[in-house]
Amino acid sequence: MKIAFCCTNTKAEPWLEAFRQALPGVDIWEWQAATPGQAPKLADHAVVWSPPQSFIDEQTQLQNLFNIGAGVDALLKLNLPASLNIVRLNDAGMSVQMAEYVCHAVIRYFREFNHYDKDQIEQRWSYRKPAWRADFPVGVLGAGVLGSKVAQALKQFEFPVNVWSRSPKQLPGLTSYTGLEQLPAFLKASKVLVNLLPLTPDTENILNHAHLSQLQAGAYLINVARGKHVVDQDLIDLLDQGHMAGATLDVFRVEPLPPEHAFWKHPKIVVTPHTSARTLREESVAQIASKIKAVYAGQFIEGRVDKVRGY
Ligand code: NAP
Ligand code: GLV
């Protein structure tokens, strides 16, 4: 079995070593573009993150691309042969990180820790009136691997929680909304909006003025999916006009976020550097290795991407 490793911004050696341990006898190498006139070494499968088109064009015998992330939007922008399967990570230690990040952000707003931070700077001892949990409903866009874990974690803190997805969900204690026709009702029922949608042609720019302005007054946005879901200026306008009270943003249209971008210094915005749920090497290698074994055993594997649907 031959595997090419082609992951942008990733130190290859520890991954190659971990795959060699998990799949003894595997021939795995870090891909480098072949020098002109030299026949490329062809792999059966590839482990990838944001590979260049030249990798796909050169590697003509690939059966499966194993993406070392949950989102496959960067892969689907490439020109891919119809026969090539894309397999995404299913959780692999990401959902608990996402639950930590989102619960932290929601609780920070609910308990007004952002105000206590300022009070400490001014040495002010001042209680804030406890808010009603019933007045703090959270809407989670996307109820897949990550969204459903986040929604259930928020429910543990007794917030009212709604989810929005394409297909109806039956998650204990949560209200499920589906499709564009139920989006307005879902937004009107949300004080905090958490975005965990994949980036697809249907979801790009979904966090725009028309949708965000339907949230309850004094709303908060927590975007942990992709920057291209948000229309940046629409968010800034709604924050400046006071309809929205704050935003916690982990992902951006351009990453790293350019130094001149208004988000950096906006008083109502918290910026983190695409870190809400990191790919964990040990869990990811174990998951991909077990999927590769399942492929050879002719078994079903989770995480096969539907290229038409886009996730
Ligand atoms: P997933 O399991 O594929 O879940 C996607 C969810 O979105 C599903 O519930 C799906 O509905 C829903 N959905 C998709 N298109 C929709 C549409 N047009 N209308 C309504 N609902 C729609 O994905 P996941 O593993 O939870 O990951 C979600 C995203 O998180 C990834 O794509 C990635 O962009 C992002 N992410 C970010 C980080 C980070 O560090 N910031 C880390 C990991 C992942 P159905 O259930 O009905 O299909
Ligand atoms: C990270 O953003 C991922 O999609 O896994």
Side-chain angles (χ1 to χ4, degrees), residues 46 48-49 64-73 75-76 85-95 143-148 196-198 226 279 283-284 287-289 291 301-307 309-311:
V48 295
W49 180 253
N64 294 289
L65 284 185
F66 292 95
N67 187 49
I68 60 165
V72 291
D73 42 291
L75 273 182
L76 294 181
N85 296 318
I86 298 180
V87 186
R88 43 142 311 174
L89 282 183
N90 280 68
D91 195 336
M94 280 192 275
S95 73
V145 174
L146 303 181
S148 58
L196 270 165
L197 290 168
R226 288 291 182 262
T279 293
E283 285 85 340
S284 305
Q287 182 175 115
I288 293 170
K291 285 179 177 176
I301 54 169
E302 289 218 38
R304 281 268 300 267
V305 171
D306 177 332
K307 289 188 227 161
R309 211 175 56 161
Y311 66 101

mmCIF file of all heavy atoms in Angstrom, residues 46 48-49 64-73 75-76 85-95 143-148 196-198 226 279 283-284 287-289 291 301-307 309-311:
data_model
loop_
_atom_site.group_PDB
_atom_site.id
_atom_site.type_symbol
_atom_site.label_atom_id
_atom_site.label_comp_id
_atom_site.label_asym_id
_atom_site.label_seq_id
_atom_site.Cartn_x
_atom_site.Cartn_y
_atom_site.Cartn_z
ATOM 1 N N ALA A 46 -3.983 9.193 -0.397
ATOM 2 C CA ALA A 46 -3.216 10.351 0.044
ATOM 3 C C ALA A 46 -3.810 10.898 1.328
ATOM 4 O O ALA A 46 -5.028 10.824 1.547
ATOM 5 C CB ALA A 46 -3.217 11.432 -1.033
ATOM 6 N N VAL A 48 -4.125 14.449 3.118
ATOM 7 C CA VAL A 48 -3.969 15.807 2.581
ATOM 8 C C VAL A 48 -4.552 16.884 3.487
ATOM 9 O O VAL A 48 -5.461 16.630 4.287
ATOM 10 C CB VAL A 48 -4.685 15.923 1.205
ATOM 11 C CG1 VAL A 48 -4.030 15.043 0.156
ATOM 12 C CG2 VAL A 48 -6.179 15.632 1.295
ATOM 13 N N TRP A 49 -4.039 18.084 3.330
ATOM 14 C CA TRP A 49 -4.683 19.306 3.827
ATOM 15 C C TRP A 49 -4.319 20.392 2.814
ATOM 16 O O TRP A 49 -3.153 20.693 2.611
ATOM 17 C CB TRP A 49 -4.219 19.669 5.237
ATOM 18 C CG TRP A 49 -4.891 20.924 5.723
ATOM 19 C CD1 TRP A 49 -4.331 22.166 5.867
ATOM 20 C CD2 TRP A 49 -6.273 21.059 6.103
ATOM 21 N NE1 TRP A 49 -5.276 23.062 6.318
ATOM 22 C CE2 TRP A 49 -6.481 22.412 6.468
ATOM 23 C CE3 TRP A 49 -7.356 20.170 6.170
ATOM 24 C CZ2 TRP A 49 -7.716 22.905 6.891
ATOM 25 C CZ3 TRP A 49 -8.590 20.665 6.597
ATOM 26 C CH2 TRP A 49 -8.768 22.014 6.951
ATOM 27 N N ASN A 64 -8.393 7.251 -2.667
ATOM 28 C CA ASN A 64 -8.990 8.025 -1.570
ATOM 29 C C ASN A 64 -8.086 9.166 -1.153
ATOM 30 O O ASN A 64 -6.872 8.992 -1.031
ATOM 31 C CB ASN A 64 -9.175 7.131 -0.332
ATOM 32 C CG ASN A 64 -10.191 6.046 -0.574
ATOM 33 O OD1 ASN A 64 -11.382 6.306 -0.664
ATOM 34 N ND2 ASN A 64 -9.713 4.806 -0.704
ATOM 35 N N LEU A 65 -8.723 10.323 -0.897
ATOM 36 C CA LEU A 65 -8.013 11.451 -0.285
ATOM 37 C C LEU A 65 -8.504 11.528 1.150
ATOM 38 O O LEU A 65 -9.699 11.762 1.378
ATOM 39 C CB LEU A 65 -8.405 12.769 -0.955
ATOM 40 C CG LEU A 65 -7.856 13.153 -2.322
ATOM 41 C CD1 LEU A 65 -8.323 14.567 -2.666
ATOM 42 C CD2 LEU A 65 -6.338 13.076 -2.347
ATOM 43 N N PHE A 66 -7.623 11.330 2.108
ATOM 44 C CA PHE A 66 -8.006 11.444 3.521
ATOM 45 C C PHE A 66 -7.615 12.843 3.997
ATOM 46 O O PHE A 66 -6.424 13.170 4.069
ATOM 47 C CB PHE A 66 -7.316 10.368 4.358
ATOM 48 C CG PHE A 66 -7.813 8.981 4.040
ATOM 49 C CD1 PHE A 66 -7.148 8.168 3.131
ATOM 50 C CD2 PHE A 66 -8.974 8.505 4.632
ATOM 51 C CE1 PHE A 66 -7.622 6.900 2.821
ATOM 52 C CE2 PHE A 66 -9.454 7.243 4.334
ATOM 53 C CZ PHE A 66 -8.781 6.438 3.421
ATOM 54 N N ASN A 67 -8.630 13.659 4.282
ATOM 55 C CA ASN A 67 -8.428 15.049 4.671
ATOM 56 C C ASN A 67 -8.153 15.119 6.171
ATOM 57 O O ASN A 67 -8.920 14.542 6.964
ATOM 58 C CB ASN A 67 -9.730 15.810 4.345
ATOM 59 C CG ASN A 67 -9.627 17.294 4.526
ATOM 60 O OD1 ASN A 67 -8.686 17.913 4.048
ATOM 61 N ND2 ASN A 67 -10.601 17.877 5.212
ATOM 62 N N ILE A 68 -7.076 15.808 6.587
ATOM 63 C CA ILE A 68 -6.808 15.855 8.040
ATOM 64 C C ILE A 68 -7.529 17.042 8.689
ATOM 65 O O ILE A 68 -6.972 17.752 9.516
ATOM 66 C CB ILE A 68 -5.304 15.806 8.404
ATOM 67 C CG1 ILE A 68 -4.533 16.975 7.790
ATOM 68 C CG2 ILE A 68 -4.684 14.482 7.995
ATOM 69 C CD1 ILE A 68 -3.146 17.159 8.436
ATOM 70 N N GLY A 69 -8.779 17.204 8.333
ATOM 71 C CA GLY A 69 -9.647 18.197 8.937
ATOM 72 C C GLY A 69 -11.080 17.777 8.674
ATOM 73 O O GLY A 69 -11.335 16.824 7.914
ATOM 74 N N ALA A 70 -12.018 18.513 9.290
ATOM 75 C CA ALA A 70 -13.438 18.199 9.078
ATOM 76 C C ALA A 70 -13.960 18.899 7.825
ATOM 77 O O ALA A 70 -14.755 18.341 7.070
ATOM 78 C CB ALA A 70 -14.244 18.646 10.299
ATOM 79 N N GLY A 71 -13.518 20.121 7.595
ATOM 80 C CA GLY A 71 -14.019 20.904 6.459
ATOM 81 C C GLY A 71 -13.273 20.546 5.183
ATOM 82 O O GLY A 71 -12.044 20.430 5.186
ATOM 83 N N VAL A 72 -14.030 20.386 4.109
ATOM 84 C CA VAL A 72 -13.412 19.973 2.837
ATOM 85 C C VAL A 72 -13.560 21.052 1.762
ATOM 86 O O VAL A 72 -13.366 20.782 0.583
ATOM 87 C CB VAL A 72 -14.002 18.632 2.334
ATOM 88 C CG1 VAL A 72 -13.588 17.482 3.230
ATOM 89 C CG2 VAL A 72 -15.526 18.712 2.216
ATOM 90 N N ASP A 73 -13.904 22.267 2.170
ATOM 91 C CA ASP A 73 -14.131 23.338 1.189
ATOM 92 C C ASP A 73 -12.889 23.608 0.341
ATOM 93 O O ASP A 73 -12.997 23.838 -0.869
ATOM 94 C CB ASP A 73 -14.606 24.617 1.897
ATOM 95 C CG ASP A 73 -13.839 24.892 3.182
ATOM 96 O OD1 ASP A 73 -14.020 24.118 4.147
ATOM 97 O OD2 ASP A 73 -13.061 25.854 3.213
ATOM 98 N N LEU A 75 -10.605 21.472 -0.534
ATOM 99 C CA LEU A 75 -10.430 20.351 -1.472
ATOM 100 C C LEU A 75 -11.405 20.433 -2.635
ATOM 101 O O LEU A 75 -11.060 20.147 -3.772
ATOM 102 C CB LEU A 75 -10.701 19.025 -0.749
ATOM 103 C CG LEU A 75 -9.551 18.363 -0.022
ATOM 104 C CD1 LEU A 75 -10.007 17.045 0.573
ATOM 105 C CD2 LEU A 75 -8.396 18.151 -0.991
ATOM 106 N N LEU A 76 -12.637 20.817 -2.330
ATOM 107 C CA LEU A 76 -13.674 20.816 -3.369
ATOM 108 C C LEU A 76 -13.498 21.955 -4.370
ATOM 109 O O LEU A 76 -14.188 21.986 -5.388
ATOM 110 C CB LEU A 76 -15.076 20.828 -2.740
ATOM 111 C CG LEU A 76 -15.419 19.566 -1.951
ATOM 112 C CD1 LEU A 76 -16.821 19.641 -1.374
ATOM 113 C CD2 LEU A 76 -15.287 18.302 -2.799
ATOM 114 N N ASN A 85 -12.430 9.374 -4.139
ATOM 115 C CA ASN A 85 -13.234 9.574 -2.919
ATOM 116 C C ASN A 85 -12.544 10.570 -1.990
ATOM 117 O O ASN A 85 -11.331 10.521 -1.823
ATOM 118 C CB ASN A 85 -13.354 8.267 -2.133
ATOM 119 C CG ASN A 85 -14.105 7.231 -2.911
ATOM 120 O OD1 ASN A 85 -15.120 7.538 -3.538
ATOM 121 N ND2 ASN A 85 -13.606 6.004 -2.894
ATOM 122 N N ILE A 86 -13.367 11.393 -1.348
ATOM 123 C CA ILE A 86 -12.834 12.282 -0.313
ATOM 124 C C ILE A 86 -13.383 11.809 1.025
ATOM 125 O O ILE A 86 -14.597 11.589 1.160
ATOM 126 C CB ILE A 86 -13.258 13.740 -0.551
ATOM 127 C CG1 ILE A 86 -12.694 14.217 -1.882
ATOM 128 C CG2 ILE A 86 -12.785 14.633 0.574
ATOM 129 C CD1 ILE A 86 -13.052 15.633 -2.209
ATOM 130 N N VAL A 87 -12.488 11.667 1.970
ATOM 131 C CA VAL A 87 -12.899 11.209 3.303
ATOM 132 C C VAL A 87 -12.423 12.249 4.315
ATOM 133 O O VAL A 87 -11.241 12.578 4.369
ATOM 134 C CB VAL A 87 -12.274 9.828 3.632
ATOM 135 C CG1 VAL A 87 -12.829 9.299 4.943
ATOM 136 C CG2 VAL A 87 -12.528 8.837 2.500
ATOM 137 N N ARG A 88 -13.360 12.786 5.095
ATOM 138 C CA ARG A 88 -13.045 13.830 6.073
ATOM 139 C C ARG A 88 -12.826 13.220 7.450
ATOM 140 O O ARG A 88 -13.211 12.064 7.685
ATOM 141 C CB ARG A 88 -14.201 14.821 6.133
ATOM 142 C CG ARG A 88 -15.525 14.096 6.131
ATOM 143 C CD ARG A 88 -16.623 14.582 6.941
ATOM 144 N NE ARG A 88 -16.309 14.880 8.292
ATOM 145 C CZ ARG A 88 -17.179 15.436 9.124
ATOM 146 N NH1 ARG A 88 -18.401 15.705 8.700
ATOM 147 N NH2 ARG A 88 -16.868 15.687 10.361
ATOM 148 N N LEU A 89 -12.263 13.991 8.370
ATOM 149 C CA LEU A 89 -12.158 13.502 9.752
ATOM 150 C C LEU A 89 -13.527 13.581 10.408
ATOM 151 O O LEU A 89 -14.237 14.580 10.259
ATOM 152 C CB LEU A 89 -11.182 14.354 10.565
ATOM 153 C CG LEU A 89 -9.687 14.150 10.388
ATOM 154 C CD1 LEU A 89 -8.942 15.065 11.359
ATOM 155 C CD2 LEU A 89 -9.266 12.706 10.600
ATOM 156 N N ASN A 90 -13.883 12.532 11.122
ATOM 157 C CA ASN A 90 -15.115 12.554 11.919
ATOM 158 C C ASN A 90 -14.720 12.751 13.363
ATOM 159 O O ASN A 90 -14.239 11.792 13.989
ATOM 160 C CB ASN A 90 -15.823 11.197 11.851
ATOM 161 C CG ASN A 90 -16.609 11.031 10.610
ATOM 162 O OD1 ASN A 90 -16.020 10.945 9.547
ATOM 163 N ND2 ASN A 90 -17.921 10.997 10.733
ATOM 164 N N ASP A 91 -14.847 13.950 13.830
ATOM 165 C CA ASP A 91 -14.548 14.265 15.219
ATOM 166 C C ASP A 91 -13.043 14.144 15.501
ATOM 167 O O ASP A 91 -12.349 15.146 15.517
ATOM 168 C CB ASP A 91 -15.383 13.386 16.175
ATOM 169 C CG ASP A 91 -15.375 13.924 17.599
ATOM 170 O OD1 ASP A 91 -14.427 14.641 17.946
ATOM 171 O OD2 ASP A 91 -16.314 13.639 18.367
ATOM 172 N N ALA A 92 -12.552 12.958 15.726
ATOM 173 C CA ALA A 92 -11.112 12.736 16.000
ATOM 174 C C ALA A 92 -10.595 13.716 17.065
ATOM 175 O O ALA A 92 -9.526 14.321 16.912
ATOM 176 C CB ALA A 92 -10.293 12.837 14.703
ATOM 177 N N GLY A 93 -11.397 13.907 18.110
ATOM 178 C CA GLY A 93 -10.968 14.777 19.218
ATOM 179 C C GLY A 93 -11.323 16.241 19.018
ATOM 180 O O GLY A 93 -10.986 17.086 19.851
ATOM 181 N N MET A 94 -12.031 16.561 17.927
ATOM 182 C CA MET A 94 -12.353 17.975 17.688
ATOM 183 C C MET A 94 -13.629 18.424 18.396
ATOM 184 O O MET A 94 -13.755 19.583 18.785
ATOM 185 C CB MET A 94 -12.489 18.244 16.188
ATOM 186 C CG MET A 94 -11.147 18.405 15.514
ATOM 187 S SD MET A 94 -11.270 19.052 13.842
ATOM 188 C CE MET A 94 -11.543 17.568 12.966
ATOM 189 N N SER A 95 -14.607 17.508 18.548
ATOM 190 C CA SER A 95 -15.907 17.980 19.045
ATOM 191 C C SER A 95 -15.820 18.463 20.499
ATOM 192 O O SER A 95 -16.476 19.436 20.869
ATOM 193 C CB SER A 95 -16.989 16.909 18.877
ATOM 194 O OG SER A 95 -16.809 15.871 19.791
ATOM 195 N N ALA A 143 -26.001 20.785 12.605
ATOM 196 C CA ALA A 143 -26.186 19.826 13.700
ATOM 197 C C ALA A 143 -25.540 18.503 13.321
ATOM 198 O O ALA A 143 -26.109 17.423 13.477
ATOM 199 C CB ALA A 143 -27.674 19.646 13.981
ATOM 200 N N GLY A 144 -24.304 18.626 12.775
ATOM 201 C CA GLY A 144 -23.561 17.420 12.399
ATOM 202 C C GLY A 144 -22.699 16.959 13.547
ATOM 203 O O GLY A 144 -23.076 17.085 14.722
ATOM 204 N N VAL A 145 -21.516 16.440 13.206
ATOM 205 C CA VAL A 145 -20.624 15.870 14.220
ATOM 206 C C VAL A 145 -20.306 16.917 15.292
ATOM 207 O O VAL A 145 -20.402 16.657 16.490
ATOM 208 C CB VAL A 145 -19.322 15.371 13.546
ATOM 209 C CG1 VAL A 145 -18.313 14.915 14.578
ATOM 210 C CG2 VAL A 145 -19.629 14.256 12.550
ATOM 211 N N LEU A 146 -19.941 18.116 14.869
ATOM 212 C CA LEU A 146 -19.524 19.145 15.827
ATOM 213 C C LEU A 146 -20.723 19.899 16.398
ATOM 214 O O LEU A 146 -20.823 20.111 17.609
ATOM 215 C CB LEU A 146 -18.535 20.117 15.166
ATOM 216 C CG LEU A 146 -17.278 19.461 14.572
ATOM 217 C CD1 LEU A 146 -16.348 20.511 13.966
ATOM 218 C CD2 LEU A 146 -16.527 18.655 15.623
ATOM 219 N N GLY A 147 -21.661 20.310 15.521
ATOM 220 C CA GLY A 147 -22.808 21.095 15.983
ATOM 221 C C GLY A 147 -23.639 20.348 17.016
ATOM 222 O O GLY A 147 -24.097 20.944 18.004
ATOM 223 N N SER A 148 -23.832 19.045 16.823
ATOM 224 C CA SER A 148 -24.688 18.324 17.776
ATOM 225 C C SER A 148 -23.990 18.186 19.129
ATOM 226 O O SER A 148 -24.629 18.298 20.183
ATOM 227 C CB SER A 148 -25.138 16.966 17.228
ATOM 228 O OG SER A 148 -24.033 16.187 16.929
ATOM 229 N N LEU A 196 -21.766 26.408 12.864
ATOM 230 C CA LEU A 196 -20.989 25.188 12.617
ATOM 231 C C LEU A 196 -21.441 24.510 11.325
ATOM 232 O O LEU A 196 -21.575 23.291 11.251
ATOM 233 C CB LEU A 196 -21.077 24.244 13.818
ATOM 234 C CG LEU A 196 -19.960 24.518 14.834
ATOM 235 C CD1 LEU A 196 -20.227 23.878 16.170
ATOM 236 C CD2 LEU A 196 -18.587 24.085 14.300
ATOM 237 N N LEU A 197 -21.665 25.348 10.312
ATOM 238 C CA LEU A 197 -22.031 24.828 8.987
ATOM 239 C C LEU A 197 -20.769 24.560 8.172
ATOM 240 O O LEU A 197 -19.763 25.249 8.343
ATOM 241 C CB LEU A 197 -22.869 25.869 8.235
ATOM 242 C CG LEU A 197 -24.286 26.123 8.745
ATOM 243 C CD1 LEU A 197 -24.866 27.370 8.086
ATOM 244 C CD2 LEU A 197 -25.172 24.909 8.487
ATOM 245 N N PRO A 198 -20.834 23.633 7.226
ATOM 246 C CA PRO A 198 -19.723 23.540 6.272
ATOM 247 C C PRO A 198 -19.832 24.691 5.276
ATOM 248 O O PRO A 198 -20.928 25.231 5.070
ATOM 249 C CB PRO A 198 -19.983 22.196 5.568
ATOM 250 C CG PRO A 198 -21.448 21.961 5.725
ATOM 251 C CD PRO A 198 -21.898 22.664 6.974
ATOM 252 N N ARG A 226 -16.326 28.784 9.061
ATOM 253 C CA ARG A 226 -15.449 29.360 8.038
ATOM 254 C C ARG A 226 -15.719 30.857 7.917
ATOM 255 O O ARG A 226 -16.877 31.299 8.025
ATOM 256 C CB ARG A 226 -15.688 28.694 6.671
ATOM 257 C CG ARG A 226 -15.165 27.279 6.551
ATOM 258 C CD ARG A 226 -13.634 27.219 6.559
ATOM 259 N NE ARG A 226 -13.120 25.869 6.387
ATOM 260 C CZ ARG A 226 -12.723 25.072 7.382
ATOM 261 N NH1 ARG A 226 -12.774 25.482 8.642
ATOM 262 N NH2 ARG A 226 -12.247 23.878 7.118
ATOM 263 N N THR A 279 -6.713 19.937 14.758
ATOM 264 C CA THR A 279 -6.503 18.535 14.362
ATOM 265 C C THR A 279 -5.484 17.927 15.324
ATOM 266 O O THR A 279 -4.399 18.491 15.509
ATOM 267 C CB THR A 279 -5.966 18.471 12.915
ATOM 268 O OG1 THR A 279 -6.995 18.917 12.037
ATOM 269 C CG2 THR A 279 -5.562 17.056 12.540
ATOM 270 N N GLU A 283 -5.091 11.074 17.357
ATOM 271 C CA GLU A 283 -6.472 10.654 17.068
ATOM 272 C C GLU A 283 -6.709 10.574 15.563
ATOM 273 O O GLU A 283 -7.402 9.677 15.081
ATOM 274 C CB GLU A 283 -7.475 11.659 17.659
ATOM 275 C CG GLU A 283 -7.642 11.579 19.167
ATOM 276 C CD GLU A 283 -6.617 12.380 19.951
ATOM 277 O OE1 GLU A 283 -5.534 12.717 19.392
ATOM 278 O OE2 GLU A 283 -6.870 12.656 21.134
ATOM 279 N N SER A 284 -6.131 11.513 14.822
ATOM 280 C CA SER A 284 -6.373 11.553 13.374
ATOM 281 C C SER A 284 -5.709 10.377 12.675
ATOM 282 O O SER A 284 -6.315 9.737 11.813
ATOM 283 C CB SER A 284 -5.845 12.863 12.783
ATOM 284 O OG SER A 284 -6.424 13.948 13.466
ATOM 285 N N GLN A 287 -7.660 7.269 13.372
ATOM 286 C CA GLN A 287 -8.915 7.194 12.607
ATOM 287 C C GLN A 287 -8.649 6.884 11.133
ATOM 288 O O GLN A 287 -9.323 6.037 10.530
ATOM 289 C CB GLN A 287 -9.702 8.507 12.741
ATOM 290 C CG GLN A 287 -11.011 8.445 12.016
ATOM 291 C CD GLN A 287 -11.870 9.685 12.218
ATOM 292 O OE1 GLN A 287 -12.132 10.406 11.283
ATOM 293 N NE2 GLN A 287 -12.317 9.912 13.437
ATOM 294 N N ILE A 288 -7.666 7.561 10.541
ATOM 295 C CA ILE A 288 -7.410 7.343 9.107
ATOM 296 C C ILE A 288 -6.872 5.924 8.886
ATOM 297 O O ILE A 288 -7.287 5.236 7.942
ATOM 298 C CB ILE A 288 -6.433 8.414 8.558
ATOM 299 C CG1 ILE A 288 -7.122 9.787 8.593
ATOM 300 C CG2 ILE A 288 -6.001 8.082 7.127
ATOM 301 C CD1 ILE A 288 -6.212 10.977 8.312
ATOM 302 N N ALA A 289 -5.988 5.468 9.776
ATOM 303 C CA ALA A 289 -5.445 4.112 9.619
ATOM 304 C C ALA A 289 -6.574 3.090 9.692
ATOM 305 O O ALA A 289 -6.628 2.135 8.904
ATOM 306 C CB ALA A 289 -4.394 3.840 10.700
ATOM 307 N N LYS A 291 -9.681 3.567 8.948
ATOM 308 C CA LYS A 291 -10.500 3.669 7.731
ATOM 309 C C LYS A 291 -9.798 2.989 6.545
ATOM 310 O O LYS A 291 -10.449 2.339 5.723
ATOM 311 C CB LYS A 291 -10.785 5.136 7.402
ATOM 312 C CG LYS A 291 -11.835 5.761 8.334
ATOM 313 C CD LYS A 291 -12.096 7.219 8.011
ATOM 314 C CE LYS A 291 -13.187 7.801 8.906
ATOM 315 N NZ LYS A 291 -13.417 9.239 8.704
ATOM 316 N N ILE A 301 -17.064 2.995 5.425
ATOM 317 C CA ILE A 301 -16.342 3.953 6.286
ATOM 318 C C ILE A 301 -17.154 5.233 6.422
ATOM 319 O O ILE A 301 -17.786 5.691 5.485
ATOM 320 C CB ILE A 301 -14.920 4.292 5.779
ATOM 321 C CG1 ILE A 301 -14.923 4.776 4.324
ATOM 322 C CG2 ILE A 301 -13.962 3.143 5.973
ATOM 323 C CD1 ILE A 301 -13.583 5.350 3.913
ATOM 324 N N GLU A 302 -17.080 5.802 7.637
ATOM 325 C CA GLU A 302 -17.773 7.073 7.892
ATOM 326 C C GLU A 302 -16.952 8.217 7.326
ATOM 327 O O GLU A 302 -15.733 8.120 7.223
ATOM 328 C CB GLU A 302 -17.889 7.281 9.400
ATOM 329 C CG GLU A 302 -18.880 6.322 10.009
ATOM 330 C CD GLU A 302 -19.682 6.977 11.098
ATOM 331 O OE1 GLU A 302 -20.028 8.158 10.946
ATOM 332 O OE2 GLU A 302 -19.936 6.300 12.096
ATOM 333 N N GLY A 303 -17.645 9.278 6.963
ATOM 334 C CA GLY A 303 -16.932 10.499 6.578
ATOM 335 C C GLY A 303 -16.693 10.641 5.088
ATOM 336 O O GLY A 303 -15.949 11.528 4.674
ATOM 337 N N ARG A 304 -17.299 9.756 4.265
ATOM 338 C CA ARG A 304 -17.178 9.926 2.806
ATOM 339 C C ARG A 304 -17.947 11.186 2.414
ATOM 340 O O ARG A 304 -19.119 11.340 2.754
ATOM 341 C CB ARG A 304 -17.800 8.736 2.073
ATOM 342 C CG ARG A 304 -16.934 7.493 2.027
ATOM 343 C CD ARG A 304 -16.061 7.444 0.781
ATOM 344 N NE ARG A 304 -16.807 7.447 -0.455
ATOM 345 C CZ ARG A 304 -17.185 6.357 -1.112
ATOM 346 N NH1 ARG A 304 -16.896 5.157 -0.638
ATOM 347 N NH2 ARG A 304 -17.823 6.450 -2.248
ATOM 348 N N VAL A 305 -17.289 12.086 1.697
ATOM 349 C CA VAL A 305 -17.915 13.368 1.356
ATOM 350 C C VAL A 305 -18.755 13.223 0.094
ATOM 351 O O VAL A 305 -18.356 12.561 -0.856
ATOM 352 C CB VAL A 305 -16.799 14.426 1.150
ATOM 353 C CG1 VAL A 305 -17.349 15.719 0.577
ATOM 354 C CG2 VAL A 305 -16.080 14.676 2.471
ATOM 355 N N ASP A 306 -19.933 13.858 0.151
ATOM 356 C CA ASP A 306 -20.801 13.908 -1.026
ATOM 357 C C ASP A 306 -20.376 15.168 -1.807
ATOM 358 O O ASP A 306 -20.629 16.290 -1.365
ATOM 359 C CB ASP A 306 -22.253 14.012 -0.539
ATOM 360 C CG ASP A 306 -23.239 14.137 -1.681
ATOM 361 O OD1 ASP A 306 -22.859 14.648 -2.746
ATOM 362 O OD2 ASP A 306 -24.404 13.738 -1.473
ATOM 363 N N LYS A 307 -19.703 14.967 -2.928
ATOM 364 C CA LYS A 307 -19.101 16.117 -3.632
ATOM 365 C C LYS A 307 -20.157 17.061 -4.189
ATOM 366 O O LYS A 307 -19.912 18.249 -4.344
ATOM 367 C CB LYS A 307 -18.196 15.624 -4.756
ATOM 368 C CG LYS A 307 -16.917 14.981 -4.257
ATOM 369 C CD LYS A 307 -15.987 14.694 -5.418
ATOM 370 C CE LYS A 307 -15.451 13.288 -5.318
ATOM 371 N NZ LYS A 307 -14.915 12.778 -6.552
ATOM 372 N N ARG A 309 -23.224 17.665 -2.766
ATOM 373 C CA ARG A 309 -23.767 18.391 -1.618
ATOM 374 C C ARG A 309 -22.735 19.381 -1.072
ATOM 375 O O ARG A 309 -23.067 20.413 -0.518
ATOM 376 C CB ARG A 309 -24.088 17.330 -0.554
ATOM 377 C CG ARG A 309 -25.221 17.612 0.363
ATOM 378 C CD ARG A 309 -25.493 16.425 1.269
ATOM 379 N NE ARG A 309 -24.321 16.005 2.046
ATOM 380 C CZ ARG A 309 -24.353 15.256 3.134
ATOM 381 N NH1 ARG A 309 -25.523 14.814 3.602
ATOM 382 N NH2 ARG A 309 -23.260 14.926 3.766
ATOM 383 N N GLY A 310 -21.450 18.988 -1.175
ATOM 384 C CA GLY A 310 -20.368 19.885 -0.756
ATOM 385 C C GLY A 310 -19.886 19.668 0.662
ATOM 386 O O GLY A 310 -19.136 20.467 1.206
ATOM 387 N N TYR A 311 -20.306 18.596 1.307
ATOM 388 C CA TYR A 311 -19.800 18.288 2.654
ATOM 389 C C TYR A 311 -20.026 16.806 2.960
ATOM 390 O O TYR A 311 -20.692 16.116 2.190
ATOM 391 C CB TYR A 311 -20.452 19.158 3.729
ATOM 392 C CG TYR A 311 -21.936 18.940 3.962
ATOM 393 C CD1 TYR A 311 -22.395 18.185 5.049
ATOM 394 C CD2 TYR A 311 -22.892 19.489 3.115
ATOM 395 C CE1 TYR A 311 -23.749 17.990 5.268
ATOM 396 C CE2 TYR A 311 -24.242 19.300 3.329
ATOM 397 C CZ TYR A 311 -24.653 18.548 4.406
ATOM 398 O OH TYR A 311 -25.994 18.371 4.618
#
